[in-house]
Amino acid sequence: MMDPIFVIAATCLVGISVVAFSLLKAWQGWLELKREELERPTGSRTGIDAAEVEGGASVGAARIEMADLKERIKKLEAIASGVEL
């Protein structure tokens, strides 16, 4: 017959393995969630809605595009008012 200490040790080993596996899966899920949060463009933080960006550009490219459009508007307003740049 098996020694009771051996049965207790084997049971503890199986229990620790199950807990370690569960914690590993939870950790991987949490890391995946954080990766998705980092990759997902958020419009609330930048004021730019990701769906409105032409061609699916990133948030940084959208900022550059917005700055370029503002500069063009200033030039057109200057031309319309007759001011030389």
Side-chain angles (χ1 to χ4, degrees), residues 10-73:
T11 304
C12 289
L13 183 62
V14 169
I16 289 173
S17 299
V18 168
V19 169
F21 180 75
S22 299
L23 289 174
L24 179 63
K25 291 298 279 184
W27 175 252
Q28 289 174 345
W30 185 82
L31 287 177
E32 185 62 30
L33 174 69
K34 292 301 175 183
R35 275 191 207 105
E36 289 177 9
E37 286 179 358
L38 289 173
E39 292 174 357
R40 181 179 351 133
T42 56
S44 61
R45 201 173 36 164
T46 60
I48 300 171
D49 191 4
E52 294 179 9
V53 178
E54 276 188 44
S58 67
V59 174
R63 288 182 183 167
I64 293 170
E65 186 177 340
M66 289 298 293
D68 185 43
L69 290 174
K70 287 178 182 179
E71 184 180 334
R72 288 182 186 181
I73 290 171

